[in-house]
Amino acid sequence: MNLSKDETGKTRLMTRIASHRGGTLEYGDSTPRGFAATAAMALEEVEFDVHPTADGAIVVHHDPTLEGTTDRCGAIAGLTLAEVKSATIHYSAGGHPLTLEELCALYASSSVDFRCEIKPGADGLAYPGFVPKVIDLLARHDMLARTTFSSFLLSSLDDLMAATDRPRLWLVSPPVLKQVGVHGVIELCKAHGVPEIGVHIDTADAALAKVIRAAGLDFGCWAAHAPAQIDKALTLSVKVFTTDRPTLAIGLRTAFREKETEA
Ligand code: FE
């Protein structure tokens, strides 16, 4: 039932949809509203980013700082949880940043699984000792077995490998893909034991998918927000794509699959 064909005609599992930051273009960036709505959607994953607070809590927020999307300023890692919680997220009906614990509670009875991105701090470097704390919290709340991890940082992927056998994927940015090249990226994946790559949808094509899959790696995309980008991800039969427009993506996937069934 949940099968699809890729560019070579090979049968693949249905492309998974990940609601990016709880569906930023539909509900605002990393908002309680968006995460609650995503929990009830007919999709497979909710993507979110985590940061530590100064007093040991873990907060679900995209930026390492508050000023981009809330009415408060400062680096999350330099603030207490109470200070972070006092921030009101713009365009979120008065919502405040969620803790990872609160997100776990929201998804405890949801069929949507976690895609947890390990972010660097405001200085661009990984937070020291952060990954084991994230894993411990997810395990304590029975969500670790339902979590896939992602990161742009190979050092964070190394930390993940040392701490858990849960799936990990490397988010490869357009400049890295361009500078390192696909074969270099594949070599790095092998060297770091990473089984999956996610590229920006605009850098994805059938040739890239073919090379990555031929190397035995899973292939996914991120930032598929426009209908043409979502259709491209579906046509390439990627394993998973993130989107800021989860409701739109669900509709397009349903239409795509109906067309495929008719063909
Ligand atoms: Fe992210």
Side-chain angles (χ1 to χ4, degrees):
M1 258 316 257
N2 289 336
L3 297 174
S4 204
K5 295 236 190 316
D6 72 6
E7 75 286 349
T8 63
K10 191 175 168 189
T11 301
R12 296 195 174 274
L13 287 174
M14 180 181 72
T15 293
R16 296 165 67 87
I17 298 171
S19 174
H20 187 231
R21 309 183 204 167
T24 298
L25 283 170
E26 294 176 1
Y27 297 97
D29 188 340
S30 304
T31 67
R33 221 158 59 93
F35 287 123
T38 294
M41 287 184 188
L43 49 69
E44 291 70 37
E45 299 176 18
V46 59
E47 193 271 356
F48 60 91
D49 311 279
V50 284
H51 301 272
T53 65
D55 52 352
I58 298 173
V59 172
V60 177
H61 197 69
H62 179 263
D63 297 350
T65 54
L66 292 176
E67 48 266 34
T69 56
T70 80
D71 62 350
R72 298 291 169 109
C73 293
I76 292 169
L79 300 170
T80 63
L81 177 60
E83 287 169 328
V84 173
K85 275 286 187 188
S86 72
T88 301
I89 306 171
H90 303 319
Y91 49 70
S92 182
H96 309 285
L98 292 175
T99 62
L100 184 53
E101 273 167 316
E102 288 169 334
L103 194 74
C104 288
L106 259 183
Y107 282 78
S109 58
S110 167
S111 61
V112 177
D113 290 335
F114 275 5
R115 169 167 165 151
C116 175
E117 181 179 347
I118 304 295
K119 279 280 190 221
D123 58 4
L125 301 174
Y127 298 113
F130 183 47
V131 163
K133 290 176 186 160
V134 173
I135 286 168
D136 179 59
L137 193 151
L138 290 170
R140 279 190 281 114
H141 291 81
D142 295 326
M143 287 303 290
L144 183 60
R146 294 172 50 194
T147 302
T148 294
F149 293 94
S150 66
S151 189
F152 283 97
L153 299 181
L154 284 169
S155 67
S156 292
L157 293 169
D158 289 344
D159 291 346
L160 284 162
M161 187 158 76
T164 179
D165 56 6
R166 292 300 305 157
R168 293 161 297 126
L169 67 104
W170 185 22
L171 300 166
V172 179
S173 68
V176 167
L177 184 59
K178 194 170 175 194
Q179 287 159 21
V180 179
V182 62
H183 296 290
V185 163
I186 289 167
E187 263 175 48
L188 283 166
C189 280
K190 303 275 180 190
H192 290 265
V194 178
E196 180 172 345
I197 291 173
V199 301
H200 190 286
I201 185 67
D202 292 345
T203 62
D205 58 29
L208 185 72
K210 198 173 171 185
V211 173
I212 290 171
R213 287 167 175 157
L217 301 170
D218 284 326
F219 180 61
C221 292
W222 42 275
H225 311 313
Q229 292 172 316
I230 293 167
D231 276 333
K232 183 182 180 185
L234 294 166
T235 303
L236 289 173
S237 199
V238 301
K239 179 181 176 186
V240 56
F241 66 91
T242 66
T243 179
D244 284 355
R245 298 168 80 183
T247 309
L248 174 72
I250 290 166
L252 289 174
R253 182 173 68 179
T254 301
F256 181 86
R257 288 174 60 74
E258 280 169 5
K259 246 194 294 173
E260 247 195 357
T261 310
E262 282 164 20

